[in-house]
Amino acid sequence: MPYRGRLAPSPTGHLHLGHARTFWIAAERARLAGGTLLLRNDDLDARRFRLDFVEAMLEDLGWLGFAWEEPVIAQSARLPRYRAALAKLHAAGLIFPCTRTRRDVLEAVAAPHEGGADDEPVYPPQFRPPADAPLPPLGETVNVNWRFRVPDGEEIVFSDGKFGPQRAVAGRDFGDFLVWRKDDVPSYQLSCAVDDAELGITEVVRGADLIKSTFRQLLLIRALGHAAPAYYHAPLMLDERGERLAKRHDALALRTMRERGVTPKEILGQFERETMLP
Ligand code: GLU
């Protein structure tokens, strides 16, 4: 199967040096495998999405010399695909409606959760409806989130192209997770799993902060009857204090660097020197 990779930025801020490094690794892996690269615009989060960030993203990627052969894929144009996937999960009884707030969940988790700051706590099992409870039809429920019921106790494994064997136990390391939000938008987990599977991606290259999401996405991909891609998680770039780069590090935004006279050659040259592929 020919290699097919993707870059999947979210237009919720300006791209920074850390994005460039992950994207460079993705592009190198596609190039070395003689494959193709897609650009996916993860533009579903209407609360944080901004059109000027999409333009800036395309401009920054072009400035660095990234290229893709096929038209850019906007997630906002693929809602019917995600809805079809949701219907499939619903028909298989793998999801349930949830009216709990984020706060309810946080208050109910007994132990302070140990995941990273960005990770969600394990969904309290007492909030789950019984497995045999009849599901309300989709579309007739208002103000509910839909969650995926994880197979408690099952060990999910995958071999990461960079970090080697990875394992997590469903229900212990991560719990029932969001697939559809009450504002009628698919979650990142669902849209990403559907796209990676349906767009024929053979290897997903992204930041190491998403390793835990991979377990969730593997469950979704399996439930939807697709074959899973390979995964390669790129080590995160840290700032001088050892914290991961975030969109708030304005000095490391690609556009700021460009304004200060840094060239793409300098940036990519640095990646080439410091990054040992694969
Ligand atoms: N759009 C997501 C982000 O920027 C990345 C998704 C992915 O690569 O799976 O965090």
Side-chain angles (χ1 to χ4, degrees), residues 81-148:
R81 302 303 316 154
Y82 311 134
R83 237 179 251 290
L86 181 74
K88 202 164 173 182
L89 298 175
H90 182 270
L94 292 169
I95 55 175
F96 64 88
C98 157
T99 51
R100 307 286 178 167
T101 62
R102 207 180 142 67
R103 189 156 162 204
D104 293 336
V105 173
L106 282 174
E107 282 174 1
V109 285
H113 82 103
E114 288 156 15
D118 294 344
D119 201 37
E120 38 177 319
V122 174
Y123 188 74
Q126 67 270 26
F127 286 178
R128 269 178 168 177
D132 55 1
L135 283 181
L138 288 169
E140 279 179 30
T141 46
V142 276
N143 215 25
V144 302
N145 291 307
W146 286 87
R147 288 180 181 271
F148 185 84

Side-chain angles (χ1 to χ4, degrees), residues 144-166:
V144 302
N145 291 307
W146 286 87
R147 288 180 181 271
F148 185 84
R149 184 189 294 270
V150 301
D152 278 340
E154 183 182 331
E155 190 175 55
I156 318 295
V157 294
F158 71 95
S159 178
D160 188 81
K162 177 71 181 176
F163 292 100
Q166 303 294 314

Side-chain angles (χ1 to χ4, degrees), residues 4-276:
R4 214 163 137 80
R6 87 308 192 266
L7 311 179
S10 299
T12 54
H14 287 132
L15 297 183
H16 57 61
L17 199 56
H19 293 111
R21 185 154 159 278
T22 301
F23 294 163
W24 177 78
I25 293 172
E28 277 297 284
R29 290 188 60 83
R31 189 182 63 83
L32 293 170
T36 49
L37 201 59
L38 301 183
L39 180 66
R40 189 180 86 201
N41 174 11
D42 283 3
D43 61 351
L44 287 174
D45 192 342
R47 293 167 306 179
R48 299 193 302 141
F49 163 86
R50 274 174 38 191
L51 212 51
D52 55 328
F53 286 142
V54 180
E55 281 158 24
M57 177 174 104
L58 295 173
E59 196 180 282
D60 291 347
L61 292 173
W63 175 67
L64 279 172
F66 290 113
W68 40 92
E69 286 103 280
E70 296 172 30
V72 178
I73 290 151
Q75 288 198 315
S76 58
R78 291 178 46 79
L79 279 166
R81 302 303 316 154
Y82 311 134
R83 237 179 251 290
L86 181 74
K88 202 164 173 182
L89 298 175
H90 182 270
L94 292 169
I95 55 175
F96 64 88
C98 157
T99 51
R100 307 286 178 167
T101 62
R102 207 180 142 67
R103 189 156 162 204
D104 293 336
V105 173
L106 282 174
E107 282 174 1
V109 285
H113 82 103
E114 288 156 15
D118 294 344
D119 201 37
E120 38 177 319
V122 174
Y123 188 74
Q126 67 270 26
F127 286 178
R128 269 178 168 177
D132 55 1
L135 283 181
L138 288 169
E140 279 179 30
T141 46
V142 276
N143 215 25
V144 302
N145 291 307
W146 286 87
R147 288 180 181 271
F148 185 84
R149 184 189 294 270
V150 301
D152 278 340
E154 183 182 331
E155 190 175 55
I156 318 295
V157 294
F158 71 95
S159 178
D160 188 81
K162 177 71 181 176
F163 292 100
Q166 303 294 314
R167 54 192 72 239
V169 175
R172 186 194 75 189
D173 299 324
F174 65 96
D176 299 340
F177 57 88
L178 203 62
V179 290
W180 206 273
R181 293 192 335 214
K182 59 182 171 198
D183 54 353
D184 203 25
V185 177
S187 71
Y188 157 66
Q189 308 296 350
L190 183 71
S191 58
C192 183
V194 167
D195 287 347
D196 288 336
E198 292 189 359
L199 299 172
I201 301 302
T202 60
E203 183 180 71
V204 170
V205 177
R206 59 185 172 198
D209 54 326
L210 290 170
I211 288 183
K212 213 177 223 187
S213 286
T214 300
F215 297 111
R216 301 182 177 107
Q217 291 168 20
L218 283 170
L219 284 175
L220 288 175
I221 290 171
R222 182 178 76 186
L224 293 168
H226 298 296
Y231 291 90
Y232 181 107
H233 288 89
L236 294 182
M237 207 166 176
L238 304 177
D239 67 9
E240 60 285 354
R241 287 182 307 186
E243 283 172 23
R244 59 179 281 215
L245 295 192
K247 285 174 179 151
R248 60 183 179 273
H249 282 75
D250 287 343
L252 295 175
L254 294 171
R255 33 204 47 222
T256 313
M257 297 178 75
R258 183 173 69 189
E259 280 156 20
R260 293 197 179 141
V262 180
T263 66
K265 215 171 156 189
E266 285 165 329
I267 295 179
L268 302 183
Q270 182 194 329
F271 297 158
E272 259 160 48
R273 282 191 300 279
E274 75 184 21
T275 313
M276 278 180 297

